[in-house]
Each structure stands twice: as structure tokens, then as C-alpha cells.
Amino acid sequence: MGGMGSGFSVTSPVIVAAFTAALAHQALIIALMVAGSILAWVAGRQVGDVPARGSRRGPPGGHEPPARRLLRIGFGAMWVCDGALQAQPAMPAGLPTQVIAPAAATSPAWVRHLVAWGATVWSFHPIQAAAAAVWLQFGIGVWMLAAQRGWWSRAAGAASFAWGLLVWVFGEAFGGIFAPGLTWLFGAPGAALLYCAAGAAVALPRSAWTSPRAGRVILRLLGALLAGLAVLQAWPGRGFWEGTARGRPAGLAAMTQIMARTPQPAFLSALIGSFTSFEKTHGLAVNLIVVAGLSIIGLTMIAVPARPAWLRPALVLLILLCLADWVLVQDLGILGGLGTDPNSMIPWALVAIGGYLAVTRPARPVTQPAGPAEALVRPASLREAAAGARAAAVIMASRSPGIRGVLVMAALGMVLAGAVPLAAAAASGTASPIIATAIDGPGAELNGQAPAFRLTDQDGRPVGLASLRGKAVLLTFLDPVCTDQCPLIAPELRQADQLLGARARDVWLVAVVANPIYRQVAFTRAFDRQEGLTAVPNRLYLTGTLPQLQRVWHSYGVLVQVLPGGQMIAHSDVAYVIGPDGRLREQIGLDPGPGTASSQASFAAFLASAVRRGLGS
Amino acid sequence: MMARGIAAATSRALALGVAVILALTGCGTARPDSQAALPPPSMAVPLTTSLATGTARWAVVRVAASPSPFWEIVVQRPGQRSWSLVTPPGVADNGGVVVTSPGAESLTAAFRPSEDLKFTPLAVTRDAGASWSPGLLDGDLAAEPDAMAAAADGRLLALAPGGTVWLSAPGGIRWRTVARERPLKAMAGRACGLVRLTAVAFTPAGEPLLAGACARDRVAIFADRRGAWRPVGPMLPAELAGHQVEVLRMTAIGGRVLALLVAGAAHAVSVTAAWTGDGGDHWGISPPLPLRAAHVQSVALSASGAAGLVLTGGRAVVLDGPGTGWRWLPALPAGTVVLALGPAGEADALASRGARVTTWRLASGRGAWARVQALRVPPP
């Protein structure tokens, strides 16, 4: 009812069912793509004039450096895990409100604005976006795991970097680095930034791994980040030196207290609760350990990144700190609400170990002459890349696809299955009506004569329903002095009119006043001006005497209730589609929900499609 | 070796740069409690108020029983001892209510726009709230207790947030713009340094008056003289010279126009009342009342021309009219938000707590408040 608020659940069965169906369809498409590719490959191998299997040389480009292998497999597995988390039923509707908005809440306005834009893009097509996130992350993960060497493997690293960057900006609001309260303990500078770093490392050419230099750069950057975060952690007045403030948990204790109360296994809750109690009474000691630990590790990595004897204890200390923080503060990253990744501690540890391995166990230089296989590994220019691709085709055709090849094909299929529908939806420019359907349910089909009425329009002219014959009518009931829902519905009507394009000429958008007191023509005009409806030529805002209005409300089943002073009128949020023949076609719930740009766009699409049905198109 | 050394130095410098930038970024945004950028304390009073029209006493009370506050209008009808809840139905009042009365049992209530509403619905009664008829101001209304004024002939004067002033024909129809803040600022000149308009009123003769805040020691009151606005504010007493002055309230009561002035800044603020019976040609000034650290919470106006202030700290003070001094009342009952002044020197204190409004009475010459009534307001 207007003026009575609205409910919208992120676990709406409509959205969950659509999400599940989308995932199932796309999984089927991926399976078919992979099967088709395998068949084509095998057939091509049978038909083509290809060298025998035995002509294959050893691994192209030599063995994979241990550091790269760790980063590739570690972050590949992380992406797969993240893809699985993205498949949570609440993700399509919940990500913008429960993940993205809170991440940006305390950031500067420009960050909030940028992130809100991303959230709106997601919310315009929540099903396609959520499914795309699942398949893209699964796909990148499998791709990284399967592609061991060469150009395809480096491309997987680049994909990880690119997607990680998008997630870092739009999903993590730059990891909160522009917000107050930034701390390593809560995940700064954002897990996705570490995914980016790992992706960039995997995308490096093999030559970069043949000296300890890459490892030193990685360790120095990590060290700088840790040292900077240690300074922040030690900065006075940020609330981390005290366990409590004015008798209440402060800083870290406040955070862990919230985490301890989230749904999770009892032993974890008890563990975090105990740590909270300890932190409340020993806040200074805990922060001192954190500051000292981060400082020692950071300075060691900056100062002596080439001395394993110094690095090893620092690395062990970092892993211990990460482990403690992951369990006691970050609650494994996935238990404190709608988790999208296991948070930043595992990535920290992986990147640090990767840096250490790159310093201590660099790759051996490749001495064999570059054949087709080498060209596949290291294209230095576009021409070389083209040559590499031709060579790859020869090599691929020369081999059975093998499990890795099938997996890479599956990964590419996943990426395409996610990206293509999202790109197509985004290109359409029209929001999905799924949010509107989730809030109000699908329209109910009707088949009967629309009750007649005769009222007065916003210009004081008499208008009867009979005079509107020949065009479809979208009939709504709006209170002109309503402060929340009716002013949300009006722009939806305007947007729906725009979506109808040329067909809008065959439609009347008709609103009837739903307020027994503020019902004069002056109010309908004021409302039209307020909502910019004066520019919509096919709209009518009708009113009349109280008995006239009451007859219309009654005949269309609209409840209008005068509440005690100080409150707006309560009325049914309902709309009817009346066909050009004057017969009722559909009844639509019109609770506008949260009134966000995406929900309004969704409603506009919903209304436009209902009107098109009413027109018989 | 040389290249390796350069590379090592570069990565070390890069690392140092990242650390410094990170530290500066975090430190720069981690001081939300900084006081340096806070604006100076506002002198504005909230919309909670009361006014007496000779036969009825009205009060607007802010009720904070729900997540967003709302306002209730209560009336003490002629001959009645108790107060009645008469808030007009049909429109939300979360944006605040501004009331004005041309006298007798008439009252016009303006509902300031809230949320997505952009214009101002009105409700008019001529029978002390027994029935209401709707009206419309197709624009926003300033959040000031005297943002609207009613003349005896039914004309209305309204002040918009940007300083535009509209005047209606009798009956609250056919609104037209009669003043804008920018020309008034130019006319007021540097001697005043007009900051903003704060109040509108009609003189008992029906001439529009505007009032505002001056950055310097002038009183920004303007009268419409043959279609042109002219400054008509009073001269301030010597002890208030050199201070900024804001017209806190301005309204026509008891056959005169009463303007309550606040002069000073921070913890050296005084309140002074000024009366005029001839549209601003001549003014009478009350002695100043130093507020020290207190703030004005609400103002009550009586038909006889008296004014009562509820101050922070549970204190109240009354000025009975021209030629009198400020009179302190006994400590107010807890939760008092506004006084309502009676014709014989008595006063009611209206206290708001949750969804309950309690009234207390201080009979003339008595030293203690007596509880009279408790009104339950339906929370939205």
C-alpha cells in the first residue's frame, strides 16, 4: 500500500529461481561447447595431415618456475572458490546492497558515486550479472589451473589481473583505501588487489622468472604495503590501541564482536568471542603485536629481500599473523554475511611465499632453440604472436587434447558463457523486469469489461473511460501529496512510456487520485509538474468529487484509508491494463520497492511489457 | 651489475613511495572528529511553537516516537481547560508544520515537503480544528516557524528556502513572487550584510513585512512601501552594537508586530523583543536578555503581545509586553518543549515524550507546575 513501506528480500524466490535456471542453462551450454570442441578437435586430427604423437618434444619453454606455479595454482583455486561463493542464491539481489554499498559507505563521495554506478549496472541485470560473475571466476580459476605454460597461461594471468581490478574497484571500493578506519586486520588494501598482483606476476614472460629480481620487486612492494599499514595501525586516535571506549568495545573488539554474532559453527563463534574478550582487556598488547609484526615483516622485505636467512622468519611470522587474523578477525572471510571471497589473508600469504620462492628458486634459463613450441610460449611482437598462434594450431592438432586442453576449453567456455549474455543484456539498454516481478509477482490475467468512470483531468476537462477506447490504458491510483511511493511510481510511468517508443501513441497512462482530501485539480497539476509528467502527452491525472472517486476506487478494488493526522493516506498500489477494446487484460501490483534507479528501471520495463501485452503485441 | 643496482634502487624507491602514500592516504582520512570545518552554531529555532489568538491557543509539538519525527497540532478551544489533538489528516507532516493565524479560531497549517514531495500542502480551519479544508503552495517552504503568515483578508505570505517570497490572493490562491533575497541583499547593503531571510508577517493593517539575519549590527526588517521594499528595522541598544543580529520570530499579535531579535555569537548571545504598531515607523525595544550558554528551544506568543521562551537546561522566561522586563518561570517539568501563554498571565507547559504529550499548568502568581492532562498521539 502507498505510504506503508515495501518489502524486498534478496532471497526472493523469483530471483533465486531465475538465477538457478540461468546457471543451469549456461552450464549446459558450456558442456555442449566443450563437447563440440573436443569432437571437432578429434575429427580435425583424424582428417588433417599431422605429425605423429611421438614427434612431440619436451615441455615448451622448460619447467614452470616454482613461484609462478604457486601463484598460478593458488590463485586459480581461489578464483574457483570465489566462483562457488558467487553462486549463493542471495547474490543477484544482495551483492549491491549487502556487499558493494557497505564496502563504499565510508569512502569519499567520488568513490561512492563510482561504486554506485557499478552497482546500478549490476542491478539492471542482476541475474545475468550474477551468473556472469560465477562463470567468469570459475573460468579464470580453471584456466589458471589448467594452462601450465606458454601464451595461454600468461593470458590467464592477464585475465585474473583484469577481472581482479574490476572487482577491486567496484566490488571492494578500492579495498577501502580512501575510507577512514583502513586497517590490514580488516582486509586492507583489498583481497582483489592481491589477485591483481598475482595475475600480473603469472602474466610475466618466463624470462622475468630466471633471475631473483621479480621476487625482490614482489617482496619490496609487499614490504612497503605492510610497513605503511603498520604505520596506520600505530597511528594514535584511530581506536586500535584501546580495547574499549566509554565501556563499549572499540576498534578491533567492536569488529570481532559483530563477527562472533554472525551465523557460524559454535566452536568458531566461541573462539572469536574469547578473542573479543581478550582484546577488550588487552587492546594495547594486541595492537602492539600487530604493529610490531607488520613493521618487522615489512622492513625485512624492503631491506633484505635477497637474504633467505632473514626472509624465512619474517615469512613464518607473516603466515602466523595471517592465519590468526583470518580465523579470529576475518571469520574465514565467508561467514560474516554474503561472503564473496575468503578475504585477504590467504592471498597475502600466497603472494609472500611466491615472492620468496622467486628469490630463492628462480627458473633455469632455457637453452634449447625456439621451435614452434617456443613461439607458442613467448611471442615478442604481433607478428611473432601470429606465428605462435599458427604454431599452436599445429601443435594442438598434433596432440590429443588431453585433460588440460579440455579444461582450458571449458574455462574459455565459462568465460564466454558469463560474459556474452551480460554484454548482450547491457547493450540492450533496458533493465530486466525481474526485480519488479520479485517485488509484486507476475501480473494477473483478467478478462472482463473495465468498469466505466467519468472524471476530470488535470486541465479541468471531463474524461470518461469510453472516450479512451481504441488505445490501451495503463490505469494507476496515485496520491498527489504522497511523500514516498507515488513519487517513485510516476517516473516509472514516464520511463515505461519512453520504452514503448512509437507504440506510446496507442497508449494512455491514466492515474486516478487516491486521496479523499487533497484531490483538487490544483494538486494533480502540482504533482505532474513535480514529476515532470507535463512532458508526457499521453498521460491523464484524473480526479472528481469524493463520491465519484469513491465509486472508481470501489469498482477497481482500490482501498483508500485516511489515517490519523500527520500520516499520509494509505492506498492500494495496483495498476490495470485495459485493452483498446475497453476490456480488462491484466492486474499488476505496483509497490515500487526500494525506489533505487535499478528497481525503477525494472518496473518501467515490467510496465512496458504489460502494456505491450495489452496492445496484443 | 649496474643495471641490477638501478633496478634494486628503483624497486626500493617504489616500495618507499607506496608506504608513504598509503600512510598519508589513511592518515588523511582518519580524522572524522575534526572540529575545524564545523559551521558556527545556528541561532535558528525549531518549528515547535505556540500561539494564542484571543479565543484559542494552538501549539505545534514535535513527536519523536517513530524513526522519523512527525509533528502534531493541539488546540485549547475557547472555554475549554483541556487540549485536543487536531492535526489535519490526509498528508504526511514529517517535514515539519508551520502554522499561522489571522485571529479568532482560524489557523493555516503548512506541511513542509519531505522525502520526494516538492510542494507544500496547506490545511485551513476556521472552527478551531473541527474541520479542515485543503490548500496548496506550489513550492517549498523555508524551515522557519514564521515562514508563512496569514492576513485577516485571507491573503498568505510564504518564504521559500532560497529567500523567494510569495504572496497569494485571498483564499490562498494565485500565488505571485513579491520579493527575492538577492535584491534585498543589495538594498540592505554592507551596513547589514543580509545573510538570509527568516520570517514573514503582515502588519495589523495588512502590509507585508520581511525579516532576516544581518552579519552586522542592523536589524533586517523590510516593509512593502508602495510596491518597493524599504528597511524599517529598529536601532539596537548600545550594548548590542557590533554584533550580528537575527530576527528569530516576527508575527502580528495583540494589534502590533512583535519581532524577537537574537544578537551576538557563540556564548555571548542576547535576546531582545521589539514592537511596532505602525508598520515599522516606530519601535519599542525591550531590555536584552543574556542567554549565556543557553539556546532558545521554542517560542510562545500570546494574544496580548507577550512572548515566552523555552531555553535549554529546562528554564523558561516570559516577557509580558512592551514596557515590561523578562520574568523567569519556575523550573519546567521534564520534557517541556513549548509554553502556551494565557490571557491572564497563566502558562501551560507542553512536554513530549515518545507518543505522549503531557500538559502542565502554572496559574498566575503560583510557584509550581500542576499536571493537567496527558494526550496520546497515534504514532505513524
Side-chain angles (χ1 to χ4, degrees), chain A residues 34 37 63 67 112 156 196 240 242 244 249 263 358 379 429 477 506 576 589 597 615:
Chain A
V34 171
S37 302
H63 290 287
R112 289 202 307 274
C196 288
F240 292 111
E242 303 87 23
T244 57
F477 298 84
D506 303 323
Y576 291 90
L615 283 166

Side-chain angles (χ1 to χ4, degrees), chain B:
Chain B
M1 282 299 283
M2 185 76 154
R4 188 174 291 183
I6 291 169
T10 308
S11 71
R12 209 173 290 132
L14 191 63
L16 193 64
V18 170
V20 169
I21 289 168
L22 192 62
L24 290 178
T25 308
C27 297
T29 53
R31 291 170 18 196
D33 301 331
S34 172
Q35 297 291 313
L38 287 181
S42 171
M43 295 174 179
V45 289
L47 300 178
T48 299
T49 187
S50 81
L51 57 95
T53 57
T55 50
R57 286 199 288 176
W58 303 88
V60 177
V61 180
R62 182 178 183 271
V63 180
S66 66
S68 67
F70 61 104
W71 273 257
E72 296 289 359
I73 300 176
V74 292
V75 65
Q76 190 183 37
R77 297 195 171 101
Q80 289 188 355
R81 191 177 156 77
S82 62
W83 291 80
S84 306
L85 190 65
V86 291
T87 312
V91 60
D93 65 7
N94 305 87
V97 183
V98 173
V99 294
T100 178
S101 171
E105 294 175 22
S106 293
L107 188 85
T108 298
F111 299 90
R112 290 196 64 248
S114 61
E115 295 186 77
D116 294 316
L117 190 66
K118 305 286 190 299
F119 56 86
T120 307
L122 309 175
V124 182
T125 180
R126 292 181 179 80
D127 52 11
S131 63
W132 296 90
S133 54
L136 171 68
L137 166 64
D138 195 358
D140 199 352
L141 189 68
E144 305 282 354
D146 291 314
M148 180 164 276
D153 61 4
R155 285 176 302 148
L156 295 171
L157 199 58
L159 172 64
T164 301
V165 180
W166 295 300
L167 176 69
S168 81
I173 55 171
R174 292 198 301 278
W175 291 87
R176 64 187 173 90
T177 302
V178 292
R180 292 183 197 279
E181 200 168 81
R182 185 174 285 185
L184 287 173
K185 280 183 175 173
M187 195 251 294
R190 288 187 181 176
C192 161
L194 182 65
V195 179
R196 63 191 178 99
L197 292 177
T198 57
V200 295
F202 284 105
T203 66
E207 292 170 350
L209 289 177
L210 313 178
C214 281
R216 283 171 277 282
D217 56 354
R218 295 286 188 280
V219 180
I221 297 179
F222 308 94
D224 184 359
R225 298 288 160 80
R226 297 192 194 92
W229 294 99
R230 295 280 178 262
V232 295
M235 294 299 290
L236 285 174
E239 59 261 46
L240 297 180
H243 293 296
Q244 60 182 35
V245 181
E246 178 173 325
V247 178
L248 199 64
R249 299 290 308 265
M250 183 175 70
T251 191
I253 53 169
R256 289 181 289 263
V257 170
L258 165 66
L260 278 176
L261 318 175
V262 184
H267 295 309
V269 173
S270 297
V271 176
T272 306
W275 294 269
T276 178
D278 56 11
D281 290 338
H282 302 89
W283 291 87
I285 303 277
S286 79
L289 169 74
L291 292 182
R292 295 187 176 86
H295 292 279
V296 179
Q297 276 194 321
S298 66
V299 176
L301 303 166
S302 86
S304 63
L309 312 181
V310 171
L311 305 177
T312 49
R315 295 183 302 156
V317 63
V318 172
L319 185 68
D320 289 314
T324 63
W326 295 96
R327 171 169 63 88
W328 290 95
L329 299 185
L332 292 170
T336 297
V337 291
V338 68
L339 294 176
L341 303 176
E346 77 275 23
D348 281 10
L350 282 77
S352 167
R353 185 172 183 178
R356 186 184 293 268
V357 175
T358 308
T359 58
W360 303 74
R361 187 152 300 157
L362 182 70
S364 183
R366 292 286 176 88
W369 296 91
R371 190 171 183 272
V372 176
Q373 183 189 4
L375 275 168
R376 247 195 114 65
V377 295

